[in-house]
Amino acid sequence: MFDFLEGYNLLGAFWVTVQLTFYSAVGSLIWGTVLAAMRVSPVPLMRGFGTGYVNVVRNIPLTVIIVFTSLGLFQTLGVTLGANDFKTIDFRLAVLGLIAYTSAFVCEALRSGINTVPIGQTEAARAIGLRFPQVLMLIVLPQAFRSVVGPLANVLIALTKNTTVAAAIGVAEAAALMRVMIENEAQLILISAIFAFGFICLTLPAGLFLGWVGRKVSVKR
């Protein structure tokens, strides 16, 4: 039944998906945290930039962002992100696009966690002389992260599924291989089931684990 799988690097395609997810998740967490800090900043310019970025980016289709990284950044502006071959360039551009898009949702999830921190704690911190960055790093963000593990898990699951869009610029991840296999093999239902199962294996354990972590570290109010 599965003889048609010979000649296709199924594990390699899913490994590319895992790499896309990992690098994009790390980058989105970092940039999303910076954006969240901007959105609650007392500096109007930073607050305006954060708000504008989130409202604009999260309303642009991910496919448009990914295609722009290839056509706009690479082919028009010559941005290669330090890579020399097309395969690596496409991969890094896909990661960049996923980070730019996903960080907007990370920012909003984290901002909701920041809003759960009692304002009395921040006022007390300022009363003892802590500056805004110190209040944010030492008091607010640690509690905010503990409050939003569940929402961040949902963002991670969505990111894993969104990596399929990278096939639009030639990244050889799971969705790209699936398209090739459907074109070459008369096994549409079986191929779809195999790739659906593969994505379930990637997302379900991560969701269950992060859900457990969220329950363990949640802040009791």
Side-chain angles (χ1 to χ4, degrees), residues 21 25 28-30 32-33 36 102-113 141-160 206-207 210-211 213-214 217:
T21 302
S28 298
L29 186 61
I30 295 172
T33 302
T102 308
S103 59
F105 296 91
V106 172
C107 169
E108 289 301 274
L110 190 53
R111 189 167 69 95
S112 68
L141 284 181
Q143 296 184 68
F145 274 111
R146 292 174 63 183
S147 300
V148 298
V149 173
L152 288 179
N154 293 332
V155 174
L156 175 63
I157 292 172
L159 170 61
T160 305
L210 290 176
V213 171
V217 303

PDB file of all heavy atoms in Angstrom, residues 21 25 28-30 32-33 36 102-113 141-160 206-207 210-211 213-214 217:
ATOM      1  N   THR A  21       9.591  25.856  11.843  1.00  0.00           N
ATOM      2  CA  THR A  21       8.811  26.146  13.045  1.00  0.00           C
ATOM      3  C   THR A  21       9.711  26.607  14.179  1.00  0.00           C
ATOM      4  O   THR A  21       9.413  27.602  14.870  1.00  0.00           O
ATOM      5  CB  THR A  21       8.021  24.911  13.485  1.00  0.00           C
ATOM      6  OG1 THR A  21       7.171  24.480  12.419  1.00  0.00           O
ATOM      7  CG2 THR A  21       7.166  25.213  14.710  1.00  0.00           C
ATOM      8  N   ALA A  25       9.638  30.301  15.573  1.00  0.00           N
ATOM      9  CA  ALA A  25       9.085  30.446  16.921  1.00  0.00           C
ATOM     10  C   ALA A  25      10.025  31.250  17.810  1.00  0.00           C
ATOM     11  O   ALA A  25       9.589  32.141  18.555  1.00  0.00           O
ATOM     12  CB  ALA A  25       8.819  29.070  17.526  1.00  0.00           C
ATOM     13  N   SER A  28       9.988  34.861  16.572  1.00  0.00           N
ATOM     14  CA  SER A  28       8.709  35.508  16.857  1.00  0.00           C
ATOM     15  C   SER A  28       8.562  35.830  18.336  1.00  0.00           C
ATOM     16  O   SER A  28       7.995  36.861  18.701  1.00  0.00           O
ATOM     17  CB  SER A  28       7.550  34.591  16.415  1.00  0.00           C
ATOM     18  OG  SER A  28       7.584  34.363  15.028  1.00  0.00           O
ATOM     19  N   LEU A  29       9.073  34.949  19.194  1.00  0.00           N
ATOM     20  CA  LEU A  29       8.998  35.205  20.630  1.00  0.00           C
ATOM     21  C   LEU A  29       9.825  36.430  21.005  1.00  0.00           C
ATOM     22  O   LEU A  29       9.385  37.270  21.802  1.00  0.00           O
ATOM     23  CB  LEU A  29       9.480  33.976  21.401  1.00  0.00           C
ATOM     24  CG  LEU A  29       9.326  34.031  22.925  1.00  0.00           C
ATOM     25  CD1 LEU A  29       7.859  34.164  23.306  1.00  0.00           C
ATOM     26  CD2 LEU A  29       9.934  32.789  23.564  1.00  0.00           C
ATOM     27  N   ILE A  30      11.015  36.543  20.415  1.00  0.00           N
ATOM     28  CA  ILE A  30      11.878  37.690  20.713  1.00  0.00           C
ATOM     29  C   ILE A  30      11.261  38.984  20.184  1.00  0.00           C
ATOM     30  O   ILE A  30      11.101  39.969  20.923  1.00  0.00           O
ATOM     31  CB  ILE A  30      13.280  37.473  20.120  1.00  0.00           C
ATOM     32  CG1 ILE A  30      13.968  36.279  20.795  1.00  0.00           C
ATOM     33  CG2 ILE A  30      14.137  38.736  20.276  1.00  0.00           C
ATOM     34  CD1 ILE A  30      15.277  35.872  20.138  1.00  0.00           C
ATOM     35  N   GLY A  32       8.190  39.520  19.151  1.00  0.00           N
ATOM     36  CA  GLY A  32       6.883  39.754  19.740  1.00  0.00           C
ATOM     37  C   GLY A  32       6.983  40.360  21.130  1.00  0.00           C
ATOM     38  O   GLY A  32       6.171  41.213  21.513  1.00  0.00           O
ATOM     39  N   THR A  33       7.998  39.938  21.902  1.00  0.00           N
ATOM     40  CA  THR A  33       8.209  40.518  23.232  1.00  0.00           C
ATOM     41  C   THR A  33       8.607  41.981  23.126  1.00  0.00           C
ATOM     42  O   THR A  33       8.145  42.831  23.904  1.00  0.00           O
ATOM     43  CB  THR A  33       9.292  39.726  23.989  1.00  0.00           C
ATOM     44  OG1 THR A  33       8.891  38.346  24.090  1.00  0.00           O
ATOM     45  CG2 THR A  33       9.502  40.291  25.384  1.00  0.00           C
ATOM     46  N   ALA A  36       5.528  43.926  22.291  1.00  0.00           N
ATOM     47  CA  ALA A  36       4.657  44.065  23.455  1.00  0.00           C
ATOM     48  C   ALA A  36       5.188  45.142  24.397  1.00  0.00           C
ATOM     49  O   ALA A  36       4.409  45.929  24.965  1.00  0.00           O
ATOM     50  CB  ALA A  36       4.534  42.731  24.185  1.00  0.00           C
ATOM     51  N   THR A 102       4.035  36.179  12.611  1.00  0.00           N
ATOM     52  CA  THR A 102       3.654  35.529  13.862  1.00  0.00           C
ATOM     53  C   THR A 102       3.921  36.410  15.071  1.00  0.00           C
ATOM     54  O   THR A 102       3.203  36.341  16.073  1.00  0.00           O
ATOM     55  CB  THR A 102       4.409  34.191  14.012  1.00  0.00           C
ATOM     56  OG1 THR A 102       4.234  33.414  12.817  1.00  0.00           O
ATOM     57  CG2 THR A 102       3.902  33.396  15.199  1.00  0.00           C
ATOM     58  N   SER A 103       4.947  37.250  15.000  1.00  0.00           N
ATOM     59  CA  SER A 103       5.288  38.098  16.146  1.00  0.00           C
ATOM     60  C   SER A 103       4.145  39.043  16.508  1.00  0.00           C
ATOM     61  O   SER A 103       4.007  39.426  17.678  1.00  0.00           O
ATOM     62  CB  SER A 103       6.557  38.897  15.851  1.00  0.00           C
ATOM     63  OG  SER A 103       6.387  39.717  14.709  1.00  0.00           O
ATOM     64  N   ALA A 104       3.313  39.416  15.543  1.00  0.00           N
ATOM     65  CA  ALA A 104       2.169  40.276  15.852  1.00  0.00           C
ATOM     66  C   ALA A 104       1.188  39.565  16.777  1.00  0.00           C
ATOM     67  O   ALA A 104       0.623  40.174  17.702  1.00  0.00           O
ATOM     68  CB  ALA A 104       1.461  40.698  14.565  1.00  0.00           C
ATOM     69  N   PHE A 105       1.000  38.270  16.576  1.00  0.00           N
ATOM     70  CA  PHE A 105       0.092  37.501  17.424  1.00  0.00           C
ATOM     71  C   PHE A 105       0.737  37.185  18.775  1.00  0.00           C
ATOM     72  O   PHE A 105       0.042  37.140  19.797  1.00  0.00           O
ATOM     73  CB  PHE A 105      -0.308  36.218  16.703  1.00  0.00           C
ATOM     74  CG  PHE A 105      -1.092  36.467  15.440  1.00  0.00           C
ATOM     75  CD1 PHE A 105      -0.449  36.597  14.220  1.00  0.00           C
ATOM     76  CD2 PHE A 105      -2.475  36.599  15.480  1.00  0.00           C
ATOM     77  CE1 PHE A 105      -1.163  36.837  13.060  1.00  0.00           C
ATOM     78  CE2 PHE A 105      -3.204  36.846  14.328  1.00  0.00           C
ATOM     79  CZ  PHE A 105      -2.547  36.976  13.114  1.00  0.00           C
ATOM     80  N   VAL A 106       2.045  36.962  18.776  1.00  0.00           N
ATOM     81  CA  VAL A 106       2.754  36.790  20.043  1.00  0.00           C
ATOM     82  C   VAL A 106       2.630  38.063  20.880  1.00  0.00           C
ATOM     83  O   VAL A 106       2.399  38.006  22.095  1.00  0.00           O
ATOM     84  CB  VAL A 106       4.232  36.444  19.795  1.00  0.00           C
ATOM     85  CG1 VAL A 106       5.020  36.459  21.103  1.00  0.00           C
ATOM     86  CG2 VAL A 106       4.361  35.074  19.126  1.00  0.00           C
ATOM     87  N   CYS A 107       2.789  39.190  20.234  1.00  0.00           N
ATOM     88  CA  CYS A 107       2.688  40.474  20.926  1.00  0.00           C
ATOM     89  C   CYS A 107       1.330  40.635  21.596  1.00  0.00           C
ATOM     90  O   CYS A 107       1.253  41.015  22.777  1.00  0.00           O
ATOM     91  CB  CYS A 107       2.927  41.611  19.939  1.00  0.00           C
ATOM     92  SG  CYS A 107       2.538  43.260  20.584  1.00  0.00           S
ATOM     93  N   GLU A 108       0.263  40.351  20.879  1.00  0.00           N
ATOM     94  CA  GLU A 108      -1.076  40.520  21.453  1.00  0.00           C
ATOM     95  C   GLU A 108      -1.337  39.534  22.577  1.00  0.00           C
ATOM     96  O   GLU A 108      -1.976  39.873  23.577  1.00  0.00           O
ATOM     97  CB  GLU A 108      -2.127  40.377  20.353  1.00  0.00           C
ATOM     98  CG  GLU A 108      -2.145  41.541  19.376  1.00  0.00           C
ATOM     99  CD  GLU A 108      -2.410  42.857  20.075  1.00  0.00           C
ATOM    100  OE1 GLU A 108      -3.587  43.210  20.276  1.00  0.00           O
ATOM    101  OE2 GLU A 108      -1.430  43.539  20.436  1.00  0.00           O
ATOM    102  N   ALA A 109      -0.858  38.299  22.425  1.00  0.00           N
ATOM    103  CA  ALA A 109      -1.015  37.321  23.505  1.00  0.00           C
ATOM    104  C   ALA A 109      -0.262  37.781  24.746  1.00  0.00           C
ATOM    105  O   ALA A 109      -0.782  37.709  25.876  1.00  0.00           O
ATOM    106  CB  ALA A 109      -0.518  35.952  23.049  1.00  0.00           C
ATOM    107  N   LEU A 110       0.946  38.265  24.539  1.00  0.00           N
ATOM    108  CA  LEU A 110       1.760  38.707  25.673  1.00  0.00           C
ATOM    109  C   LEU A 110       1.195  39.975  26.302  1.00  0.00           C
ATOM    110  O   LEU A 110       1.230  40.147  27.530  1.00  0.00           O
ATOM    111  CB  LEU A 110       3.196  38.926  25.206  1.00  0.00           C
ATOM    112  CG  LEU A 110       4.253  39.170  26.286  1.00  0.00           C
ATOM    113  CD1 LEU A 110       4.220  38.068  27.326  1.00  0.00           C
ATOM    114  CD2 LEU A 110       5.633  39.254  25.653  1.00  0.00           C
ATOM    115  N   ARG A 111       0.646  40.859  25.492  1.00  0.00           N
ATOM    116  CA  ARG A 111       0.058  42.090  26.021  1.00  0.00           C
ATOM    117  C   ARG A 111      -1.149  41.769  26.903  1.00  0.00           C
ATOM    118  O   ARG A 111      -1.398  42.442  27.912  1.00  0.00           O
ATOM    119  CB  ARG A 111      -0.355  43.033  24.897  1.00  0.00           C
ATOM    120  CG  ARG A 111      -0.777  44.413  25.368  1.00  0.00           C
ATOM    121  CD  ARG A 111      -0.858  45.367  24.200  1.00  0.00           C
ATOM    122  NE  ARG A 111      -1.960  45.050  23.321  1.00  0.00           N
ATOM    123  CZ  ARG A 111      -3.173  45.626  23.393  1.00  0.00           C
ATOM    124  NH1 ARG A 111      -3.404  46.552  24.309  1.00  0.00           N
ATOM    125  NH2 ARG A 111      -4.118  45.293  22.553  1.00  0.00           N
ATOM    126  N   SER A 112      -1.900  40.734  26.518  1.00  0.00           N
ATOM    127  CA  SER A 112      -3.020  40.329  27.367  1.00  0.00           C
ATOM    128  C   SER A 112      -2.520  39.810  28.710  1.00  0.00           C
ATOM    129  O   SER A 112      -3.175  40.010  29.744  1.00  0.00           O
ATOM    130  CB  SER A 112      -3.857  39.253  26.663  1.00  0.00           C
ATOM    131  OG  SER A 112      -3.129  38.031  26.544  1.00  0.00           O
ATOM    132  N   GLY A 113      -1.357  39.154  28.709  1.00  0.00           N
ATOM    133  CA  GLY A 113      -0.770  38.713  29.966  1.00  0.00           C
ATOM    134  C   GLY A 113      -0.280  39.875  30.803  1.00  0.00           C
ATOM    135  O   GLY A 113      -0.393  39.866  32.038  1.00  0.00           O
ATOM    136  N   LEU A 141       6.935  41.156  32.959  1.00  0.00           N
ATOM    137  CA  LEU A 141       7.069  40.096  31.966  1.00  0.00           C
ATOM    138  C   LEU A 141       7.122  38.685  32.559  1.00  0.00           C
ATOM    139  O   LEU A 141       6.514  37.767  31.997  1.00  0.00           O
ATOM    140  CB  LEU A 141       8.300  40.347  31.084  1.00  0.00           C
ATOM    141  CG  LEU A 141       8.139  41.443  30.022  1.00  0.00           C
ATOM    142  CD1 LEU A 141       9.406  41.589  29.203  1.00  0.00           C
ATOM    143  CD2 LEU A 141       6.956  41.142  29.105  1.00  0.00           C
ATOM    144  N   PRO A 142       7.839  38.450  33.664  1.00  0.00           N
ATOM    145  CA  PRO A 142       7.815  37.094  34.224  1.00  0.00           C
ATOM    146  C   PRO A 142       6.410  36.596  34.548  1.00  0.00           C
ATOM    147  O   PRO A 142       6.074  35.438  34.288  1.00  0.00           O
ATOM    148  CB  PRO A 142       8.678  37.226  35.488  1.00  0.00           C
ATOM    149  CG  PRO A 142       9.612  38.344  35.178  1.00  0.00           C
ATOM    150  CD  PRO A 142       8.801  39.312  34.379  1.00  0.00           C
ATOM    151  N   GLN A 143       5.582  37.473  35.104  1.00  0.00           N
ATOM    152  CA  GLN A 143       4.203  37.081  35.403  1.00  0.00           C
ATOM    153  C   GLN A 143       3.368  36.968  34.132  1.00  0.00           C
ATOM    154  O   GLN A 143       2.506  36.093  34.011  1.00  0.00           O
ATOM    155  CB  GLN A 143       3.572  38.091  36.354  1.00  0.00           C
ATOM    156  CG  GLN A 143       4.234  38.158  37.714  1.00  0.00           C
ATOM    157  CD  GLN A 143       3.510  39.103  38.651  1.00  0.00           C
ATOM    158  OE1 GLN A 143       2.391  38.839  39.068  1.00  0.00           O
ATOM    159  NE2 GLN A 143       4.146  40.230  38.952  1.00  0.00           N
ATOM    160  N   ALA A 144       3.631  37.853  33.178  1.00  0.00           N
ATOM    161  CA  ALA A 144       2.868  37.837  31.930  1.00  0.00           C
ATOM    162  C   ALA A 144       3.108  36.550  31.162  1.00  0.00           C
ATOM    163  O   ALA A 144       2.162  35.928  30.650  1.00  0.00           O
ATOM    164  CB  ALA A 144       3.241  39.045  31.077  1.00  0.00           C
ATOM    165  N   PHE A 145       4.362  36.110  31.080  1.00  0.00           N
ATOM    166  CA  PHE A 145       4.666  34.873  30.367  1.00  0.00           C
ATOM    167  C   PHE A 145       3.978  33.683  31.018  1.00  0.00           C
ATOM    168  O   PHE A 145       3.484  32.778  30.337  1.00  0.00           O
ATOM    169  CB  PHE A 145       6.180  34.645  30.319  1.00  0.00           C
ATOM    170  CG  PHE A 145       6.853  35.329  29.166  1.00  0.00           C
ATOM    171  CD1 PHE A 145       7.705  36.399  29.367  1.00  0.00           C
ATOM    172  CD2 PHE A 145       6.636  34.906  27.864  1.00  0.00           C
ATOM    173  CE1 PHE A 145       8.326  37.034  28.305  1.00  0.00           C
ATOM    174  CE2 PHE A 145       7.242  35.523  26.790  1.00  0.00           C
ATOM    175  CZ  PHE A 145       8.097  36.594  27.008  1.00  0.00           C
ATOM    176  N   ARG A 146       3.950  33.653  32.341  1.00  0.00           N
ATOM    177  CA  ARG A 146       3.293  32.551  33.038  1.00  0.00           C
ATOM    178  C   ARG A 146       1.797  32.532  32.777  1.00  0.00           C
ATOM    179  O   ARG A 146       1.163  31.471  32.806  1.00  0.00           O
ATOM    180  CB  ARG A 146       3.563  32.664  34.541  1.00  0.00           C
ATOM    181  CG  ARG A 146       5.014  32.426  34.921  1.00  0.00           C
ATOM    182  CD  ARG A 146       5.255  32.689  36.400  1.00  0.00           C
ATOM    183  NE  ARG A 146       4.488  31.781  37.241  1.00  0.00           N
ATOM    184  CZ  ARG A 146       4.478  31.831  38.568  1.00  0.00           C
ATOM    185  NH1 ARG A 146       5.177  32.762  39.197  1.00  0.00           N
ATOM    186  NH2 ARG A 146       3.772  30.960  39.267  1.00  0.00           N
ATOM    187  N   SER A 147       1.219  33.689  32.502  1.00  0.00           N
ATOM    188  CA  SER A 147      -0.224  33.785  32.286  1.00  0.00           C
ATOM    189  C   SER A 147      -0.635  33.395  30.869  1.00  0.00           C
ATOM    190  O   SER A 147      -1.818  33.091  30.637  1.00  0.00           O
ATOM    191  CB  SER A 147      -0.708  35.209  32.585  1.00  0.00           C
ATOM    192  OG  SER A 147      -0.426  35.570  33.917  1.00  0.00           O
ATOM    193  N   VAL A 148       0.298  33.438  29.921  1.00  0.00           N
ATOM    194  CA  VAL A 148      -0.087  33.270  28.512  1.00  0.00           C
ATOM    195  C   VAL A 148       0.568  32.059  27.860  1.00  0.00           C
ATOM    196  O   VAL A 148       0.689  32.017  26.639  1.00  0.00           O
ATOM    197  CB  VAL A 148       0.225  34.548  27.707  1.00  0.00           C
ATOM    198  CG1 VAL A 148      -0.570  35.722  28.219  1.00  0.00           C
ATOM    199  CG2 VAL A 148       1.719  34.866  27.732  1.00  0.00           C
ATOM    200  N   VAL A 149       0.977  31.073  28.643  1.00  0.00           N
ATOM    201  CA  VAL A 149       1.559  29.869  28.040  1.00  0.00           C
ATOM    202  C   VAL A 149       0.548  29.196  27.123  1.00  0.00           C
ATOM    203  O   VAL A 149       0.877  28.761  26.016  1.00  0.00           O
ATOM    204  CB  VAL A 149       2.038  28.894  29.135  1.00  0.00           C
ATOM    205  CG1 VAL A 149       2.484  27.574  28.515  1.00  0.00           C
ATOM    206  CG2 VAL A 149       3.180  29.502  29.937  1.00  0.00           C
ATOM    207  N   GLY A 150      -0.708  29.126  27.571  1.00  0.00           N
ATOM    208  CA  GLY A 150      -1.751  28.516  26.733  1.00  0.00           C
ATOM    209  C   GLY A 150      -1.962  29.242  25.420  1.00  0.00           C
ATOM    210  O   GLY A 150      -1.912  28.622  24.346  1.00  0.00           O
ATOM    211  N   PRO A 151      -2.188  30.560  25.439  1.00  0.00           N
ATOM    212  CA  PRO A 151      -2.319  31.295  24.176  1.00  0.00           C
ATOM    213  C   PRO A 151      -1.086  31.202  23.288  1.00  0.00           C
ATOM    214  O   PRO A 151      -1.197  31.108  22.058  1.00  0.00           O
ATOM    215  CB  PRO A 151      -2.563  32.731  24.633  1.00  0.00           C
ATOM    216  CG  PRO A 151      -3.212  32.598  25.963  1.00  0.00           C
ATOM    217  CD  PRO A 151      -2.571  31.401  26.596  1.00  0.00           C
ATOM    218  N   LEU A 152       0.103  31.223  23.890  1.00  0.00           N
ATOM    219  CA  LEU A 152       1.317  31.083  23.088  1.00  0.00           C
ATOM    220  C   LEU A 152       1.404  29.698  22.464  1.00  0.00           C
ATOM    221  O   LEU A 152       1.944  29.545  21.353  1.00  0.00           O
ATOM    222  CB  LEU A 152       2.556  31.356  23.944  1.00  0.00           C
ATOM    223  CG  LEU A 152       2.787  32.818  24.344  1.00  0.00           C
ATOM    224  CD1 LEU A 152       4.026  32.941  25.219  1.00  0.00           C
ATOM    225  CD2 LEU A 152       2.918  33.716  23.117  1.00  0.00           C
ATOM    226  N   ALA A 153       0.883  28.684  23.149  1.00  0.00           N
ATOM    227  CA  ALA A 153       0.845  27.337  22.567  1.00  0.00           C
ATOM    228  C   ALA A 153      -0.033  27.327  21.321  1.00  0.00           C
ATOM    229  O   ALA A 153       0.299  26.686  20.311  1.00  0.00           O
ATOM    230  CB  ALA A 153       0.328  26.336  23.595  1.00  0.00           C
ATOM    231  N   ASN A 154      -1.156  28.032  21.373  1.00  0.00           N
ATOM    232  CA  ASN A 154      -2.025  28.126  20.196  1.00  0.00           C
ATOM    233  C   ASN A 154      -1.327  28.835  19.041  1.00  0.00           C
ATOM    234  O   ASN A 154      -1.485  28.453  17.874  1.00  0.00           O
ATOM    235  CB  ASN A 154      -3.313  28.871  20.558  1.00  0.00           C
ATOM    236  CG  ASN A 154      -4.170  28.093  21.537  1.00  0.00           C
ATOM    237  OD1 ASN A 154      -4.127  26.867  21.578  1.00  0.00           O
ATOM    238  ND2 ASN A 154      -4.956  28.801  22.331  1.00  0.00           N
ATOM    239  N   VAL A 155      -0.552  29.871  19.369  1.00  0.00           N
ATOM    240  CA  VAL A 155       0.209  30.569  18.332  1.00  0.00           C
ATOM    241  C   VAL A 155       1.244  29.637  17.715  1.00  0.00           C
ATOM    242  O   VAL A 155       1.454  29.639  16.499  1.00  0.00           O
ATOM    243  CB  VAL A 155       0.890  31.825  18.920  1.00  0.00           C
ATOM    244  CG1 VAL A 155       1.805  32.481  17.885  1.00  0.00           C
ATOM    245  CG2 VAL A 155      -0.150  32.839  19.388  1.00  0.00           C
ATOM    246  N   LEU A 156       1.894  28.806  18.536  1.00  0.00           N
ATOM    247  CA  LEU A 156       2.884  27.861  18.028  1.00  0.00           C
ATOM    248  C   LEU A 156       2.247  26.838  17.106  1.00  0.00           C
ATOM    249  O   LEU A 156       2.812  26.496  16.055  1.00  0.00           O
ATOM    250  CB  LEU A 156       3.581  27.164  19.197  1.00  0.00           C
ATOM    251  CG  LEU A 156       4.576  26.060  18.817  1.00  0.00           C
ATOM    252  CD1 LEU A 156       5.742  26.638  18.008  1.00  0.00           C
ATOM    253  CD2 LEU A 156       5.096  25.345  20.064  1.00  0.00           C
ATOM    254  N   ILE A 157       1.087  26.334  17.487  1.00  0.00           N
ATOM    255  CA  ILE A 157       0.389  25.368  16.635  1.00  0.00           C
ATOM    256  C   ILE A 157       0.014  26.010  15.301  1.00  0.00           C
ATOM    257  O   ILE A 157       0.194  25.412  14.232  1.00  0.00           O
ATOM    258  CB  ILE A 157      -0.856  24.834  17.360  1.00  0.00           C
ATOM    259  CG1 ILE A 157      -0.438  23.966  18.548  1.00  0.00           C
ATOM    260  CG2 ILE A 157      -1.738  24.037  16.407  1.00  0.00           C
ATOM    261  CD1 ILE A 157      -1.593  23.540  19.437  1.00  0.00           C
ATOM    262  N   ALA A 158      -0.493  27.235  15.365  1.00  0.00           N
ATOM    263  CA  ALA A 158      -0.831  27.946  14.129  1.00  0.00           C
ATOM    264  C   ALA A 158       0.408  28.179  13.274  1.00  0.00           C
ATOM    265  O   ALA A 158       0.364  28.056  12.043  1.00  0.00           O
ATOM    266  CB  ALA A 158      -1.509  29.273  14.458  1.00  0.00           C
ATOM    267  N   LEU A 159       1.537  28.486  13.921  1.00  0.00           N
ATOM    268  CA  LEU A 159       2.780  28.693  13.192  1.00  0.00           C
ATOM    269  C   LEU A 159       3.216  27.421  12.479  1.00  0.00           C
ATOM    270  O   LEU A 159       3.659  27.469  11.322  1.00  0.00           O
ATOM    271  CB  LEU A 159       3.875  29.155  14.158  1.00  0.00           C
ATOM    272  CG  LEU A 159       5.302  29.207  13.615  1.00  0.00           C
ATOM    273  CD1 LEU A 159       5.410  30.190  12.453  1.00  0.00           C
ATOM    274  CD2 LEU A 159       6.287  29.588  14.722  1.00  0.00           C
ATOM    275  N   THR A 160       3.103  26.287  13.159  1.00  0.00           N
ATOM    276  CA  THR A 160       3.485  25.008  12.539  1.00  0.00           C
ATOM    277  C   THR A 160       2.687  24.760  11.273  1.00  0.00           C
ATOM    278  O   THR A 160       3.235  24.344  10.247  1.00  0.00           O
ATOM    279  CB  THR A 160       3.265  23.854  13.531  1.00  0.00           C
ATOM    280  OG1 THR A 160       3.976  24.117  14.743  1.00  0.00           O
ATOM    281  CG2 THR A 160       3.754  22.536  12.939  1.00  0.00           C
ATOM    282  N   ALA A 206       3.075  18.946  21.197  1.00  0.00           N
ATOM    283  CA  ALA A 206       3.487  20.287  21.636  1.00  0.00           C
ATOM    284  C   ALA A 206       2.355  20.995  22.355  1.00  0.00           C
ATOM    285  O   ALA A 206       2.564  21.623  23.402  1.00  0.00           O
ATOM    286  CB  ALA A 206       3.952  21.116  20.433  1.00  0.00           C
ATOM    287  N   GLY A 207       1.138  20.881  21.831  1.00  0.00           N
ATOM    288  CA  GLY A 207      -0.001  21.517  22.471  1.00  0.00           C
ATOM    289  C   GLY A 207      -0.298  20.931  23.839  1.00  0.00           C
ATOM    290  O   GLY A 207      -0.571  21.665  24.797  1.00  0.00           O
ATOM    291  N   LEU A 210       2.634  22.009  26.313  1.00  0.00           N
ATOM    292  CA  LEU A 210       2.558  23.412  26.712  1.00  0.00           C
ATOM    293  C   LEU A 210       1.308  23.695  27.544  1.00  0.00           C
ATOM    294  O   LEU A 210       1.323  24.559  28.425  1.00  0.00           O
ATOM    295  CB  LEU A 210       2.588  24.316  25.484  1.00  0.00           C
ATOM    296  CG  LEU A 210       3.941  24.357  24.752  1.00  0.00           C
ATOM    297  CD1 LEU A 210       3.833  25.198  23.495  1.00  0.00           C
ATOM    298  CD2 LEU A 210       5.032  24.901  25.660  1.00  0.00           C
ATOM    299  N   GLY A 211       0.224  22.954  27.282  1.00  0.00           N
ATOM    300  CA  GLY A 211      -0.949  23.084  28.124  1.00  0.00           C
ATOM    301  C   GLY A 211      -0.666  22.644  29.553  1.00  0.00           C
ATOM    302  O   GLY A 211      -1.114  23.286  30.517  1.00  0.00           O
ATOM    303  N   VAL A 213       2.354  22.647  30.938  1.00  0.00           N
ATOM    304  CA  VAL A 213       3.246  23.667  31.494  1.00  0.00           C
ATOM    305  C   VAL A 213       2.454  24.871  31.946  1.00  0.00           C
ATOM    306  O   VAL A 213       2.694  25.442  33.026  1.00  0.00           O
ATOM    307  CB  VAL A 213       4.313  24.077  30.459  1.00  0.00           C
ATOM    308  CG1 VAL A 213       5.104  25.290  30.960  1.00  0.00           C
ATOM    309  CG2 VAL A 213       5.261  22.921  30.179  1.00  0.00           C
ATOM    310  N   GLY A 214       1.480  25.281  31.142  1.00  0.00           N
ATOM    311  CA  GLY A 214       0.670  26.434  31.493  1.00  0.00           C
ATOM    312  C   GLY A 214      -0.083  26.243  32.808  1.00  0.00           C
ATOM    313  O   GLY A 214      -0.185  27.176  33.608  1.00  0.00           O
ATOM    314  N   VAL A 217       2.563  26.504  35.781  1.00  0.00           N
ATOM    315  CA  VAL A 217       3.211  27.787  36.085  1.00  0.00           C
ATOM    316  C   VAL A 217       2.226  28.937  36.181  1.00  0.00           C
ATOM    317  O   VAL A 217       2.643  30.082  36.377  1.00  0.00           O
ATOM    318  CB  VAL A 217       4.285  28.125  35.013  1.00  0.00           C
ATOM    319  CG1 VAL A 217       5.303  27.016  34.908  1.00  0.00           C
ATOM    320  CG2 VAL A 217       3.648  28.385  33.658  1.00  0.00           C
TER     321      VAL A 217
END
